[in-house]
Amino acid sequence: HLRILKSQIELTGNSIKNYHGVEQLVYVDEVTGLYNTRYLSGIIDREIAASVASGKPFAVLFIDADYFKSVNDVHGHLVGTQLLNELGNQLRALVRETDTVFRYGGDEFIAVLSQSDLQTASRVAERIREYVDQQLFLKQENLNIHFTVSIGVALYPDHAGSKKAVLDAADHAMYAAKKVSRNCVYVAETVS
C-alpha cells in the first residue's frame, strides 16, 4: 500500500509541476514573454485591494507603438514580431521590480505601477517615451528601426474608482496622446 501511495504522491507532484507549466502558458504572451490580459485582471484586483488597505494609489500606463502598421507593411510581420519582443523586454527593464508589464494585444502594452503617485507614474511614462524615441531597434539585424510610443496614464482611485474605469481612463488618455501629437505622455482627466 505504501508503495502505491508513494507513486501516487509522485504523480500528483508531477501533475502540479505540469499544471504550473500550463498556467504559465495561459498567462504569458508567446511573442513577448510578458504577461497577457488574462493575468491583468487579477493583478488589478490585487492592486485595488492594496490601495484600499494602504490608502496609496497605483497607476496604469497604456503604451501604444505609433504607426506600427507601417513597420509591418515595410518590413513584414516577422520583423514586427521581433520588434514587439524587443520593446517588451525594454519595458520590463524600465519599470521597477514591483511593477508588472503586459502585452495587451497587437502593438499595445500595459504597465501596472504598484503604489505609485502621479509624479512617479508620469516620470516612468516619460522615461519609457524618451527611451523608445532615442532607441534604434533590431540593431543586431542591421535594421535600425526607429519608432515612438504614445502613453496614457491613469491612477486608481484619483482618476477611476473601478478596474474597468482605470483601464478605460488610461486607454482614453493614450488616444488623447495620439490625437495631440503622438510620441507623448497624456494623463487622464480627474473624475470630478
Side-chain angles (χ1 to χ4, degrees), residues 4 22 73 75 100 117 127 147 163:
I4 293 168
V22 169
D73 291 347
H75 299 281
T100 318
D117 58 19
R127 184 167 70 217
F147 68 101
K163 174 166 43 180

mmCIF file of all heavy atoms in Angstrom, residues 4 22 73 75 100 117 127 147 163:
data_model
loop_
_atom_site.group_PDB
_atom_site.id
_atom_site.type_symbol
_atom_site.label_atom_id
_atom_site.label_comp_id
_atom_site.label_asym_id
_atom_site.label_seq_id
_atom_site.Cartn_x
_atom_site.Cartn_y
_atom_site.Cartn_z
ATOM 1 N N ILE A 4 2.224 2.100 -3.428
ATOM 2 C CA ILE A 4 1.202 2.688 -4.307
ATOM 3 C C ILE A 4 1.000 4.161 -3.925
ATOM 4 O O ILE A 4 0.967 5.036 -4.774
ATOM 5 C CB ILE A 4 -0.130 1.906 -4.211
ATOM 6 C CG1 ILE A 4 0.062 0.508 -4.806
ATOM 7 C CG2 ILE A 4 -1.258 2.654 -4.921
ATOM 8 C CD1 ILE A 4 -1.068 -0.445 -4.525
ATOM 9 N N VAL A 22 1.377 24.790 -17.493
ATOM 10 C CA VAL A 22 0.185 25.165 -18.265
ATOM 11 C C VAL A 22 -0.285 26.552 -17.846
ATOM 12 O O VAL A 22 -0.608 27.396 -18.672
ATOM 13 C CB VAL A 22 -0.954 24.124 -18.062
ATOM 14 C CG1 VAL A 22 -2.271 24.633 -18.625
ATOM 15 C CG2 VAL A 22 -0.577 22.805 -18.709
ATOM 16 N N ASP A 73 4.140 46.808 -42.610
ATOM 17 C CA ASP A 73 3.999 46.947 -44.069
ATOM 18 C C ASP A 73 5.355 46.981 -44.760
ATOM 19 O O ASP A 73 5.542 46.357 -45.804
ATOM 20 C CB ASP A 73 3.212 48.219 -44.417
ATOM 21 C CG ASP A 73 1.738 48.099 -44.008
ATOM 22 O OD1 ASP A 73 1.313 46.964 -43.692
ATOM 23 O OD2 ASP A 73 1.036 49.121 -43.980
ATOM 24 N N HIS A 75 8.535 46.112 -43.364
ATOM 25 C CA HIS A 75 9.499 45.054 -43.012
ATOM 26 C C HIS A 75 8.889 43.658 -42.904
ATOM 27 O O HIS A 75 9.613 42.678 -42.790
ATOM 28 C CB HIS A 75 10.194 45.384 -41.692
ATOM 29 C CG HIS A 75 10.978 46.652 -41.742
ATOM 30 N ND1 HIS A 75 12.226 46.731 -42.323
ATOM 31 C CD2 HIS A 75 10.690 47.898 -41.277
ATOM 32 C CE1 HIS A 75 12.674 47.976 -42.216
ATOM 33 N NE2 HIS A 75 11.761 48.699 -41.593
ATOM 34 N N THR A 100 4.314 45.456 -13.016
ATOM 35 C CA THR A 100 4.041 44.352 -13.939
ATOM 36 C C THR A 100 3.731 44.902 -15.321
ATOM 37 O O THR A 100 2.945 45.844 -15.449
ATOM 38 C CB THR A 100 2.828 43.529 -13.448
ATOM 39 O OG1 THR A 100 2.921 43.352 -12.032
ATOM 40 C CG2 THR A 100 2.805 42.163 -14.098
ATOM 41 N N ASP A 117 2.366 57.347 -7.108
ATOM 42 C CA ASP A 117 1.626 58.599 -7.216
ATOM 43 C C ASP A 117 1.750 59.123 -8.644
ATOM 44 O O ASP A 117 2.469 58.553 -9.475
ATOM 45 C CB ASP A 117 2.120 59.622 -6.183
ATOM 46 C CG ASP A 117 3.609 59.926 -6.331
ATOM 47 O OD1 ASP A 117 4.190 59.655 -7.409
ATOM 48 O OD2 ASP A 117 4.204 60.441 -5.376
ATOM 49 N N ARG A 127 10.018 58.455 -19.064
ATOM 50 C CA ARG A 127 11.269 57.707 -19.251
ATOM 51 C C ARG A 127 11.107 56.671 -20.369
ATOM 52 O O ARG A 127 11.988 56.515 -21.210
ATOM 53 C CB ARG A 127 11.666 57.025 -17.934
ATOM 54 C CG ARG A 127 13.009 56.307 -18.008
ATOM 55 C CD ARG A 127 13.510 55.913 -16.640
ATOM 56 N NE ARG A 127 12.710 54.850 -16.055
ATOM 57 C CZ ARG A 127 12.413 54.774 -14.759
ATOM 58 N NH1 ARG A 127 12.806 55.697 -13.930
ATOM 59 N NH2 ARG A 127 11.715 53.766 -14.296
ATOM 60 N N PHE A 147 11.018 54.141 -33.932
ATOM 61 C CA PHE A 147 9.585 54.427 -33.810
ATOM 62 C C PHE A 147 9.352 55.090 -32.459
ATOM 63 O O PHE A 147 10.290 55.263 -31.686
ATOM 64 C CB PHE A 147 8.727 53.167 -33.993
ATOM 65 C CG PHE A 147 8.867 52.157 -32.897
ATOM 66 C CD1 PHE A 147 7.918 52.051 -31.893
ATOM 67 C CD2 PHE A 147 9.961 51.290 -32.864
ATOM 68 C CE1 PHE A 147 8.051 51.108 -30.882
ATOM 69 C CE2 PHE A 147 10.092 50.353 -31.862
ATOM 70 C CZ PHE A 147 9.132 50.261 -30.869
ATOM 71 N N LYS A 163 -11.900 48.708 -11.625
ATOM 72 C CA LYS A 163 -10.936 48.074 -12.525
ATOM 73 C C LYS A 163 -11.166 48.528 -13.968
ATOM 74 O O LYS A 163 -10.258 48.980 -14.654
ATOM 75 C CB LYS A 163 -11.075 46.557 -12.407
ATOM 76 C CG LYS A 163 -10.232 45.801 -13.403
ATOM 77 C CD LYS A 163 -10.092 44.318 -13.111
ATOM 78 C CE LYS A 163 -11.327 43.596 -12.691
ATOM 79 N NZ LYS A 163 -11.075 42.164 -12.421
#
